[in-house]
Amino acid sequence: MTSRAEWLRTILLATSLAFTFTGPVLADGTASPDKTPAEFKVTDFLLDNGMEVVVIPDHRAPIVTHMVWYKIGSADEPPGKSGIAHFFEHLMFKATTNHAAGEFDRAVSDIGGSNNAFTSYDYTAFHETVAPSALEQMMGFEADRMRNLILTDDVIKTERDVILEERRSRIDNNPQAVLDEEVDATLWQNQPYRIPVIGWMQEMEQLNRTDATAFYDKYYRPNNAVLIVAGDVEPETVKALAEKTYGKVARGPDLPPRIRPVEPEQNTKRTVTLTDARVSVPSFSTQWVVPSYHTAKPGEAEALDLLAEILGGGNRSRLYQALVVQQGIASNAGAYFQGTMHDDTNFTVYGAPRGDAKLADVEAAVDAEVARIATSGVTPDELEKAKDRYIRSMVFARDKQDSMAEIYGSTLATGGNVQDVQQWPDRIRKVTADEVKAVAARYLVLARSTSGYLLPQQQAGN
């Protein structure tokens, strides 16, 4: 299964891409008149059992990406049951009443396809990339395991051992991952994003069949799922196949709104430091709690996206140019905004020194660039160039079906809709320099930040 860290690196590169060729979709599922070629029209409809379906046609190659997104992630877990969402992602690959364990994977492999799954804070997703002729078969497998898993104590114990080892290898043996967990637990004082997606070890060890069955029965229902199909398909064909497969799965009880604990007012600067003999180059990150696309006021999330691009979005950004190119004190420096979240999210800046430069010097230089934007703003020229980079990247993202499917899926699974995706370029174009300056001044305040420091062992006590 894909780890959250691996998925996050992918989705951060893909986020907010690839929509200039998609046309608006009306409430009844029909596309509105525009200049979008018919073969690129995105279609959105509901099955009778409440499952939402989005079709993204792309006929340039005879392949199709099929994804099922469940609106359940680690932030929805019951107290004391951390890791159950990720654990259940693993269990979904076990036997059902209709298929033996491993049969699904073998079927995908036999036709030269690929499949995997991932869990994040707000959703769990399962995906396959296959030839269009295999789409009905993939739908049949996914619809089957949505309700027909066979969960025994032996299955639970075996797979629980797997996720415990996954935590040891990917988190406990990785200093950066350990620090990331501690920073999250410090940044978030009340919101469940403070709990790692994979779970805390002592709680993972106690997960059992009763926990798994209750979780399955509550969340793995068609009316809590979104189907995304991208590739060499026609909407009418997908609809017919979806009704034939997923449409036979009974609707589950309506779930209450996803209302989670919210953050109190943050008014302190906090730091987390980890020293480890395996670390050779020190590094730091500073994070702030900021609104996401789902919680922001109109225009704020778009301004935060452009702020991250201007400040540290690549080798043309202020941080890279100032610290890496001009001053030569950093081996890397950047910023990112994780906007596609159900609740408030985080804005991050980071850096690491180069040569004889000190980490403190890199951090001071990063802080100075943040403060410069908060006080003096950005120029119209760099804002327009940042917008152009974003809009151009949208075109190129259509070359990856999985990126398109991930963007639509993550948006719909966190409270957005198809129109939010398709109107995003226009909203980005409307952001002003004053709005970028305003979000920097409002949210990127050092006195309300959380910083993490990863240091070599010899620097302990410095």
Side-chain angles (χ1 to χ4, degrees):
M1 290 45 172
T2 305
S3 71
R4 172 184 172 257
E6 291 167 344
W7 174 82
L8 182 57
R9 283 192 292 270
T10 300
I11 202 68
L12 284 173
L13 292 173
T15 293
S16 305
L17 304 178
F19 310 122
T20 51
F21 289 125
T22 58
V25 176
L26 303 180
D28 62 0
T30 61
S32 66
D34 61 21
K35 298 180 181 180
T36 304
E39 63 267 26
F40 290 126
K41 298 275 188 189
V42 174
T43 302
D44 181 29
F45 56 88
L46 284 177
L47 301 182
D48 290 342
N49 58 14
M51 188 175 192
E52 186 169 9
V53 184
V54 176
V55 185
I56 310 168
D58 182 351
H59 301 292
R60 294 173 300 168
I63 55 175
V64 61
T65 296
H66 171 262
M67 301 189 79
V68 180
W69 296 70
Y70 292 93
K71 300 176 185 179
I72 172 62
S74 64
D76 301 298
E77 295 166 340
K81 303 296 182 183
S82 66
I84 185 67
H86 172 253
F87 184 30
F88 207 86
E89 173 209 318
H90 282 242
L91 293 174
M92 283 284 280
F93 288 84
K94 300 303 179 183
T96 71
T97 54
N98 298 304
H99 298 288
E103 185 177 342
F104 191 178
D105 290 340
R106 287 192 296 272
V108 175
S109 179
D110 287 347
I111 59 176
S114 62
N115 68 322
N116 213 320
F118 54 81
T119 305
S120 191
Y121 293 113
D122 296 313
Y123 39 74
T124 306
F126 302 85
H127 56 94
E128 301 83 38
T129 299
V130 295
S133 58
L135 178 59
E136 181 177 356
Q137 184 185 26
M138 297 301 104
M139 287 183 169
F141 274 114
E142 286 288 6
D144 175 52
R145 66 179 176 178
M146 185 181 286
R147 291 304 319 140
N148 296 322
L149 282 179
I150 300 173
L151 299 176
T152 66
D153 287 334
D154 286 343
V155 166
I156 294 296
K157 181 181 183 303
T158 300
E159 205 59 36
R160 185 176 58 214
D161 289 342
V162 171
I163 63 168
L164 292 174
E165 180 56 33
E166 183 178 349
R167 182 181 167 86
R168 294 185 192 103
S169 63
R170 292 186 171 181
I171 306 296
D172 299 343
N173 289 334
N174 183 339
Q176 183 64 63
V178 172
L179 178 64
D180 288 345
E181 278 195 349
E182 298 294 338
V183 169
D184 286 344
T186 306
L187 173 69
W188 301 104
Q189 298 178 359
N190 194 42
Q191 222 280 344
Y193 292 156
R194 71 187 187 278
I195 301 171
V197 172
I198 199 168
W200 297 119
M201 179 68 82
Q202 74 276 11
E203 294 182 352
M204 296 167 64
E205 291 172 339
Q206 303 302 315
L207 296 175
N208 55 52
R209 184 164 62 89
T210 300
D211 298 330
T213 301
F215 191 84
Y216 186 42
D217 289 342
K218 183 174 183 179
Y219 293 111
Y220 277 72
R221 301 284 188 170
N223 48 307
N224 195 44
V226 179
L227 171 64
I228 309 289
V229 180
D232 190 17
V233 292
E234 297 296 341
E236 297 80 7
T237 301
V238 173
K239 186 173 184 179
L241 293 178
E243 290 174 341
K244 182 179 179 180
T245 53
Y246 294 107
K248 294 180 179 179
V249 182
R251 181 187 182 96
D254 290 336
L255 291 170
R258 300 168 84 181
I259 300 175
R260 301 166 178 161
V262 297
E263 285 297 290
E265 180 180 342
Q266 298 204 353
N267 48 30
T268 59
K269 177 174 173 57
R270 286 150 285 154
T271 63
V272 181
T273 303
L274 174 64
T275 60
D276 194 289
R278 293 169 292 182
V279 176
S280 58
V281 177
S283 61
F284 91 99
S285 69
T286 297
Q287 300 189 32
W288 295 267
V289 173
V290 300
S292 68
Y293 272 93
H294 190 232
T295 63
K297 298 175 183 177
E300 276 196 331
E302 291 82 1
L304 286 163
D305 244 338
L306 288 169
L307 172 60
E309 173 68 18
I310 293 167
L311 183 60
N315 59 15
R316 299 180 184 180
S317 68
R318 286 194 178 194
L319 289 178
Y320 189 92
Q321 287 295 314
L323 278 68
V324 178
V325 177
Q326 297 169 12
Q327 300 178 43
I329 61 173
S331 60
N332 67 75
Y336 61 86
F337 166 60
Q338 195 173 335
T340 308
M341 303 287 282
H342 187 273
D343 297 309
D344 283 350
T345 185
N346 60 297
F347 189 105
T348 303
V349 295
Y350 61 89
R354 182 172 72 190
D356 296 330
K358 302 298 183 184
L359 182 61
D361 296 332
V362 174
E363 183 180 13
V366 170
D367 291 346
E369 291 298 329
V370 172
R372 189 170 293 115
I373 292 181
T375 56
S376 302
V378 299
T379 68
D381 181 63
E382 65 182 338
L383 178 59
E384 289 308 309
K385 287 181 178 178
K387 292 178 180 180
D388 288 343
R389 289 196 297 272
Y390 260 30
I391 302 304
R392 284 198 303 268
S393 67
M394 300 171 189
V395 177
F396 299 128
R398 273 214 65 98
D399 287 335
K400 293 193 67 177
Q401 290 178 4
D402 55 348
S403 292
M404 294 290 290
E406 286 169 359
I407 294 164
Y408 275 92
S410 61
T411 299
L412 270 64
T414 54
N417 55 46
V418 169
Q419 288 82 2
D420 291 331
V421 174
Q422 296 172 334
Q423 295 166 5
W424 182 85
D426 291 337
R427 299 198 309 271
I428 283 289
R429 282 294 186 196
K430 293 177 181 178
V431 174
T432 67
D434 285 342
E435 289 172 327
V436 174
K437 176 184 176 182
V439 294
R442 181 177 303 122
Y443 296 113
L444 306 193
V445 178
L446 280 178
R448 299 196 298 269
S449 65
T450 298
S451 295
Y453 301 93
L454 187 61
L455 306 177
Q457 192 69 53
Q458 64 268 24
Q459 290 198 10
N462 288 358

